[in-house]
Amino acid sequence: MKKSILSTLVLAGIVSAPAMATNVETFMGGGVGYQLDNFKDAAKMNSEDASYQIRGGVIVDNHHRLMATYGYKKDNFNIASDEATIKAKHKQDLYLVSYDYLVPVTSNINLFAGASMGAAHNKLTAKISEESLKNSSTDFVWGGQLGAMVQLTDNISSDLTYRYLDQNYKTDGVRLKGTEQVVWSVDYKF
């Protein structure tokens, strides 16, 4: 009986040792950047404007970053047609979770690459003469990102990220094919 209890304790200690040795850092931050949305089909156009993000997550063992991000973008633009100029507005809310693998270059610089997925709520409004058309939906998005992270102080880091997201938003002959972002962000580690 004593041997089985002792062996169970030894086995539990061996199995749990890596879990206890795991270094987990929590962070929260925000970013601003440029976003380009590529529309296809009947309206071959691009919607581009500033993008704003808030995010939070964890870095595990200095190599694995798990993050949740909320992003917002709004753009007004004109669509030229044979009949008239159409005034349009595109608003997008992004809700993403992502994983990045961090590769150290120096003691304070990491390169990273990873994958993202989540939901995008797109709202497209168009005004033709006196008629107004509105459509919105929430759709699945997925994609990837890469960039560089610089550790500025013990608690503050900064990222420059390029992200591409594939989108499934379709309405009235208009399809949002994908989103490209370049974002600069600052994070605070707790």
Side-chain angles (χ1 to χ4, degrees):
M1 180 73 174
K2 288 183 182 183
K3 285 185 181 182
S4 66
I5 292 174
L6 183 59
S7 61
T8 302
L9 289 174
V10 169
L11 181 61
I14 291 170
V15 170
S16 64
M20 288 186 275
T22 300
N23 178 21
V24 177
E25 298 175 312
T26 306
F27 68 90
M28 193 158 192
V32 63
Y34 167 80
Q35 180 171 322
L36 173 69
D37 293 310
N38 300 306
F39 288 90
K40 301 290 181 197
D41 297 336
K44 293 182 180 175
M45 63 187 175
N46 294 323
S47 168
E48 57 185 337
D49 208 337
S51 167
Y52 307 96
Q53 297 182 354
I54 56 173
R55 62 199 211 157
V58 295
I59 298 174
V60 180
D61 287 338
N62 299 321
H63 292 289
H64 308 280
R65 178 168 63 180
L66 301 166
M67 182 169 42
T69 304
Y70 166 75
Y72 175 79
K73 179 209 147 225
K74 183 170 81 170
D75 182 29
N76 295 319
F77 56 95
N78 293 326
I79 304 169
S81 73
D82 296 337
E83 300 160 9
T85 299
I86 301 167
K87 295 181 184 267
K89 183 189 293 185
H90 177 231
K91 179 182 165 193
Q92 184 178 73
D93 295 292
L94 283 170
Y95 306 92
L96 301 173
V97 292
S98 55
Y99 166 80
D100 292 316
Y101 184 76
L102 305 173
V103 179
V105 177
T106 66
S107 62
N108 65 337
I109 298 175
N110 288 308
L111 299 178
F112 61 86
S116 293
M117 65 182 221
H121 180 77
N122 288 289
K123 182 176 182 181
L124 189 61
T125 307
K127 187 172 185 178
I128 307 166
S129 299
E130 298 299 317
E131 187 180 346
S132 185
L133 306 168
K134 293 182 181 181
N135 193 324
S136 67
S137 73
T138 302
D139 303 295
F140 178 73
V141 296
W142 66 279
Q145 66 273 346
L146 55 90
M149 178 175 75
V150 177
Q151 193 68 40
L152 301 173
T153 68
D154 287 343
N155 294 348
I156 299 173
S157 65
S158 180
D159 283 13
L160 184 61
T161 306
Y162 169 80
R163 174 181 284 137
Y164 178 82
L165 296 170
D166 186 53
Q167 301 226 18
N168 293 319
Y169 177 67
K170 294 178 188 175
T171 178
D172 299 326
V174 177
R175 179 175 174 239
L176 177 53
K177 173 73 176 134
T179 295
E180 295 180 72
Q181 297 177 327
V182 176
V183 178
W184 172 70
S185 57
V186 176
D187 296 319
Y188 181 80
K189 291 182 186 176
F190 299 96

